[in-house]
Amino acid sequence: MNVNQSAPPVPPFGQPQPVYPGYHQSSYGGQPGPTAPHIPYGAYNGPVPGYQQTPPQGVSRAPPSSGPPPASTAQAACGQAAYAQLGQGDVQNGPSSTVQMQRLPGSQPFGSPLAPVVSQPAVLQPYGPPPTSAQVTAQLAGMQISGAAAPAPPPSGLGYGPPTSLASASGSFPNSGLYGSYPQGQAPPLSQTQGHPGVQPPQRSALPLASSFTPPSSGGPRMPSMTGPLLPGQGFGGPPVSQPNHVSSPPPQALPPGTQMTGAPGPPPPMHSPQQPGYQLQQNGSFGPARGPQPNYGSPYPGAPAFGSQPGPPQPLPPKRLDPDAIPSPQLNELPPQQKTRHRIDPDAIPSPIQVIEDDRNNRGSEPFVTGVRGQVPPLVTTNFLVKDQGNASPRYIRCTSYNIPCTSDMAKQAQVPLAAVIKPLARLPPEEASPYVVDHGESGPLRCNRCKAYMCPFMQFVEGGRRFQCCFCSCVNDVPPQYFQHLDHTGKRVDAYDRPELSLGSYEFLATVDYCKNNKFPSPPAFIFMIDVSYNAIRTGLVRLLCEELKSLLDFLPREGGAEESAVRVGFVTYNKVLHFYNVKSSLAQPQMMVVSDVADVFVPLLDGFLVNVNESRAVITSLLDQIPEMFADTRETETVFAPVIQAGMEALKAAECAGKLFLFHTSLPIAEAPGKLKNRDDRKLINTDKEKTLFQPQTGAYQTLAKECVAQGCCVDLFLFPNQYVDVATLSVVPQLTGGSVYKYACFQAENDQERFLSDLRRDVQKVVGFDAVMRVRTSTGIRAVDFFGAFYMSNTTDVELAGLDGDKTVTVEFKHDDRLNEESGALLQCALLYTSCAGQRRLRIHNLALNCCTQLADLYRNCETDTLINYMAKFAYRGVLNSPVKTVRDSLITQCAQILACYRKNCASPSSAGQLILPECMKLLPVYLNCVLKSDVLQPGAEVTTDDRAYVRQLVTSMDVAETNVFFYPRLLPLTKSPIESTTEPPAVRASEERLSSGDIYLLENGLNLFLWVGASVQQGVVQSLFSVASFSQITSGLSVLPVLDNPLSKKVRGLIDSLRAQRSRYMKLIVVKQEDKLEMLFKHFLVEDKSLSGGASYVDFLCHMHKEIRQLLS
Amino acid sequence: MATYLEFIQQNEERDGVRFSWNVWPSSRLEATRMVVPLACLLTPLKERPDLPPVQYEPVLCSRPTCKAVLNPLCQVDYRAKLWACNFCFQRNQFPPAYTGISEVNQPAELMPQFSTIEYVVQRGPQTPLIFLYVVDTCLEEDDLQALKESLQMSLSLLPPDALVGLITFGRMVQVHELSCEGISKSYVFRGTKDLTAKQIQDMLGLTKSAMPMQQPRPAQAQEHSFISSRFLQPIHKIDMTLTDLLGELQRDPWPVTQGKRPLRSTGVALSIAVGLLEGTFPNTGARIMLFTGGPPTQGPGMVVGDELKVPIRSWHDIEKDNARFMKKATKHYEILANRTAANGHCIDIYACALDQTGLLEMKCCTNLTGGHMVMGDSFNTSLFKQTFQRIFSKDFNGDFRMAFGATLEVKTSRELKIAGVIGPCVSLNVKGPCVSENELGVAGTSQWKICGLDPTTTLGIYFEVVNQHNAPIPQGGRGAIQFVTQYQHSSTQRRIRVTTIARNWADAQSQLRHIEAAFDQEAAAVLMARLGVFRAESEEGPDVLRWLDRQLIRLCQKFGQYNKEDPSSFRLSDSFSLYPQFMFHLRRSPFLQVFNNSPDESSYYRHHFARQDLTQSLIMIQPILYSYSFQGPPEPVLLDSSSILADRILLMDTFFQIVIYLGETIAQWRKAGYQDMPEYENFKHLLQAPLDDAQEILQARFPMPRYINTEHGGSQARFLLSKVNPSQTHNNLFAWGQVMK
């Protein structure tokens, strides 16, 4: 990103800069204070509660941010640093100084960013406020100008640069602020054009021009993409683009194309030094633009200051923020000296996920989240918080894209914000929170509305003295059965409301009566069947031996309910290669008996009694069996395997035993043996980026769908562990797990010695986790909206019931809602998710989650109550499903379009008026572009050369049932510096943004995304550190690709290992550690996860994307 | 007469052959007028303690279409070392080994007393005997237990190098792998799906050849032997394993709900057993022993559905064409039986259940392969246990009384042709000049395959005289027949038994007396009965009876002496005197009368009738009734209701049943306990005598007959009452009563 940005930015900036300075300053000076900025910020703040707080926070933040301010000082530092800082700074500045800068069109964008930066000190707070603006106006314009934008950042960066250090802090703040600023910053870019053109003075006037320019510039470089911004980014084109744009105007000014160029591509740092002056100018310029905008921003920023207070005004302000350009100017003012060097958009000036996360953590992590109030936006998933259930379901169970939904479908259509809920019905709770109470209504079963069949919940209205109740979903009035009657108190509440979970809590369970059971018979306890591939591959890798050894002890940890002494789950064993081997492990036998079923064309279960057994009763036989399995097949030469018949057999076994259950399949190769479900190798990389690419994600044969359907009908959930050496067609093999609510685990090139920890850990967790079987989930809603689409691992035979053969605490279902009528602002919208399932002890239950949402007639309310993480979760799932039917490019484009529409709608309807060159983002969605960009460049949507078809299918499948926290970290990995904070500190080190620029070669970093874990070691890390972590003398002696850290008795080693352990504990899958050395070939792998950077596969950098997004938005607006 | 009786008896003892006619009518026309066809009962492996096998190959006629074996009837030129075939008159050189022969130094096959001779030949690899147990597990607990014990016991009776295999079935079919240690392993097949031999072998992993292609030959060979031995192992190696395996055998674990029959996959189990042997040991002696406790209820070969409310087919259903599964099931088992026969294996069926078990449909499995069919009420009866044990009885040499994979070839001199064979065999479809177009029984060939046989297995072989009336045979001319039986002896040796017989021709017109005197009415009765039973399998009962009646009338017409319109003048010579009586009882026998018998029982009776030797067959046709009294030694009495007297004890042997019946008075005496009083010891002896005699019969007979001890008025007296000629019926008894009044 930097590169791109830098390049383009530079030139423009360069040019502008000179100008800018003046402008900026001037602008800043004037604008900041006066400008509306405050308002915008305020507005933003307003929206976000957090933000509101921001002021104070801001303050708190401010410090850091303020730190940044030093940015100016920092500026001197590095461009990069600067960026970061700038970003922050911008934000900060934005608020405070931003305002000033904003105006400068061209520079503005940047400026704005800068501005924020500038303000940073105060800024943070402002940012807080900015949020409002944050929503921000990241003046994309500037960004796009890419050149411009980029430059902008740099400048700010510069300024911030110093702040960098601060930046981090500020960075975090920036988030809130940054975002605000970002927008601005970005905006600047957009404005850049403007700015540039305008080069400062002219800029503004030019701004328009600039903008126009930008396009050209971008256009020039890549007209088509226009994405101009993107283009720039991409092209970095930016340089050219930006250049053109900027250049056009600025070039002359900016001049030294060279500089520009350098600056742009140029690693920010280098740029800086040389250009610094220029940069500063540029920055100014960029900022200028930004700054230019800044003035605008200024206004917004000003708002920022207001932020604290501003909450109210925010929206209007935001628009102003566009001016961020103006903001930059302020920065410029400050920065100029130092920062001027940079031309690019300062990455620090654009919204930082890290900052947002940190802010939320600080603001909301300390107090419990009380669910009593309707439509409250919960803390982010990255924040640790306690939940107190007071009538609405905990966000651990349900998260929504928006907690305030439009009353009408017109509004919804206009906003384009998907209305979706991410539901994790059986989510695991932290030990401090009580799991849902179980309510037993005896023979009559749970009380339900007669018409819509909704279950009794706290929102039901009791009337007529308690003799009747009105359904809160369909308004039907129902009689209260005599045994349930209770008097009402003076508020119309039942006297016993607080004695009954179903009247006072958001989540609770009912014991189901026999009417809710299959065949009107209470279910028997479920069974687990372990089905082990014993073909040559499985034996050779040591898998079978390892697995059998592990199972011996693992069987003691089958899930049990509550305080049960022993698990009710029965177990069975099957091994297979080309044929299936069932085992009779009846307790009365001295030795297990093996039964071979070779009729794979029409597989069946050869035995009933003795196949599924209680572990404790048959322990001796089972142990004997597990001892013998590896021996029996030790000399096997069978390489062919079957697959569908294995599942079929497991399913038939459960059917014969008349119970639900789970199959654990351990499979190694493409099933090529002659049998149903036989597959052929159809992996064809040539299909990538063609219309036929989708076939790679589609199953090869329909047989598996049919099979899955049967499995679902039987309540047979399939968990698949894959150990492929080569292509196994995950897309097809995962169909059944996917449709039955199972999980897929993939261990490519498995070797027992290297991968056993990861596999065993996953296996343990998978076997032990509590599962609900044979489940049906239904989501009921208030009249007016309706659940229309569902995403996740399940099967649906009709349009309303989600059927899950198995459902565990990790599985998530994303539900999309659409209007089919008007909603009432007063009564809000209610969701009730009812899950009927069989517990692992065989008890039939209903779990109910209720959630009340607000409804709004103002779009602003919608934008204020959105949750970007959830939104991304939805959009990723939507897109990942889309690849099944459309070319990947179409999917990507539609994502971008939707995002642009969302933001454009905001800009048009909610943001305060501002220059078109400014990018203004809603505070709640200021991370939308960065996250969306991560989705767009994920392996599924934009595969790199090293990504196999299987990997893509695997990831696609994984994401489908991820919850919000998982998608969050999956798309935007956490990058933790290990050596920056003092060893003594016990807290997790603050994360840094996922960009190469953030890495310093003197440090060690840990990166995780929920699936992978990397330890990146800088080339110039102190020897002492190397010694104490790796027990080798020097950097060069560290084994690249190491997967285990030596256990050493020193604080650093302990701390790092402790941190790794704790990270692993947070994720549902074990992350294998890979040690990556700087400049090593493995680093490519690692860099793939630095999602803010341009990716090798062509994915845009954050800055570029922001520019592109800005351009899109502007196109929509114009 | 006596001479003929002796002649017949002597011939039977020496050659195991009984001809219906011992002097042959010399023209085709005359022969057909004799009514009873020229035929013989041949017991190919009749025990001959006095006949040590010779250890060399037989000398064959060099004419390719003849290949008759050198025999005492051949003309030999000791000088020229030439011999003339007595069937085709080809002159043959003796082989080099015979250079030393002369009138005084004859090889055994030229000596007249060796009209039957046995050669031991060294041909092909000697594979041990194979016993494949196919065991039904849908049994009651005690039944299964008894069966398991019998099976375990049988292991100790098998030759130590015999290969054994085990297949169990219920709802599923399990083929047990016997080679593995530790975990016992079995291949399971679903009981509802018919599989081809190829599929079965694939699924059992018997056709691995594809993969180890690249491997050097030896490895492949090794592999093969390893594979095939997984399911069939020498008993001495896996004695313990198998004993344990049988011990752990569970009842079929699939639940059987009220009102249902257990699902029993007999058809598939048999199919797999056949496929397994087919793939591993074709053309070597092997016994598939099926133990079943009920009818097949699913899959191919199912005989009845699993709904208990639908009873298994009866004769009534069959007549009404109301037996849904019969045709399909029969077809299934027929195909199996033919495959088995083609591979030289045989199938035994041991069916023990109170109800029918589908023997009607499965009968061809035993009938075409020479296997045993045993029917009992329960595996937990001595009937089954002892019968089963008797399978493994040994002869005077300590060899098992069983032989495998036999081929019977019949050669005739040119005046005769072979019309067919009735017995436990299949045709090998070898056409030849001596094959008649006139078909009786399994026809159209001169060679038959008998996959399993024992020393008593007897075939009815029918001939046709083709000599034309206008080509008289010179006085003193003899017709000759040679039976060549190649088989695998239970010692696994390959042996060839050659029997060559000759009979005089006689002109029926001029020498009818001779022919008449040489009539063997016993053999004729049995041979006619076989024809009748053979027809009954495919024709309606009444038609067969009518045919039998007509044959009898024609015979009497031909050989009886009578005056027209004077029934009392009718006389038959001694050699025919018993024949009508045999026919009378045959008409009433369960072989032709299905009333009061289930289809399974009919099949069972007919099965045994078609393979027992003459004596046993006669008992079946006309049960023997002995009478014990104080009047004298036991004496045979007429099988007539008039033989039932109050002061007699009767012992009836119907082959399938042995009934001891105490007359009314005797029963009262016994009730009074006279036998326990010292002074009535003679009464005790009287009571004991039939028991001892019955024991004697029980000891020798296979299968064990049902043993019934009853008395006047006892419910089981019906077994006796149903057999006797009802000369005194309720009607005339009642009449007597009136008279007495």
Side-chain angles (χ1 to χ4, degrees), chain A residues 903-1051:
Chain A
L903 297 177
C905 172
Y906 174 77
R907 171 71 184 260
K908 191 167 155 200
N909 299 297
C910 309
S912 53
S914 62
S915 107
Q918 261 186 309
L919 172 62
I920 303 182
L921 302 175
E923 174 61 22
C924 284
M925 291 188 188
K926 62 185 171 187
L927 294 181
L928 189 58
V930 62
Y931 284 165
L932 186 71
N933 187 34
C934 295
V935 173
L936 290 175
K937 41 199 249 183
S938 62
D939 290 342
V940 172
L941 295 182
Q942 195 157 20
E946 78 292 348
V947 180
T948 66
T949 304
D950 272 351
D951 285 336
R952 297 177 72 193
Y954 177 58
V955 168
R956 195 189 78 78
Q957 186 277 132
L958 279 183
V959 167
T960 311
S961 49
M962 277 187 180
D963 68 10
V964 178
E966 285 172 312
T967 47
N968 174 271
V969 75
F970 176 76
F971 287 112
Y972 193 94
R974 270 209 289 177
L975 182 59
L976 306 172
L978 296 180
T979 44
K980 290 226 167 134
S981 55
I983 290 183
E984 308 77 53
S985 77
T986 52
T987 54
E988 237 173 58
V992 298
R993 299 172 61 173
S995 163
E996 196 175 1
E997 287 178 30
R998 312 286 165 174
L999 302 173
S1000 108
S1001 67
D1003 285 319
I1004 295 180
Y1005 296 84
L1006 204 52
L1007 179 141
E1008 65 116 351
N1009 74 341
L1011 296 180
N1012 305 286
L1013 186 60
F1014 291 95
L1015 187 73
W1016 184 88
V1017 187
S1020 50
V1021 170
Q1022 289 178 340
Q1023 289 203 358
V1025 172
V1026 170
Q1027 180 69 44
S1028 53
L1029 259 189
F1030 300 98
S1031 189
V1032 295
S1034 69
F1035 174 77
S1036 60
Q1037 286 171 281
I1038 300 173
T1039 319
S1040 166
L1042 199 67
S1043 61
V1044 183
L1045 289 181
V1047 179
L1048 301 175
D1049 188 18
N1050 64 61

Side-chain angles (χ1 to χ4, degrees), chain A residues 586 591-596 598-599 602-609 625 628 632, chain B residues 172 174 182-190 193 203 211 215 248 250 253-255:
Chain A
K586 199 173 174 178
Q591 278 284 335
Q593 292 175 348
M594 177 204 247
M595 309 182 111
V596 184
S598 33
D599 187 3
D602 182 17
V603 79
F604 59 96
V605 186
L607 76 170
L608 184 61
D609 191 22
L625 171 67
Q628 292 186 57
M632 273 191 293
Chain B
M172 308 284 169
Q174 281 175 262
I183 290 188
S184 69
K185 201 170 164 184
S186 58
Y187 283 67
V188 188
F189 296 81
R190 127 183 298 177
K193 191 170 167 189
M203 290 179 186
M211 199 189 50
Q215 314 233 339
E248 283 201 346
Q250 304 171 345
W254 298 88

Side-chain angles (χ1 to χ4, degrees), chain B residues 515-527:
Chain B
I515 296 174
E516 197 181 321
F519 181 64
D520 183 343
Q521 54 185 340
E522 294 178 340
V526 174
L527 285 162

Side-chain angles (χ1 to χ4, degrees), chain A residues 614-625:
Chain A
N614 176 296
V615 175
N616 286 331
E617 284 170 11
S618 291
R619 179 168 308 273
V621 192
I622 291 176
T623 307
S624 159
L625 171 67

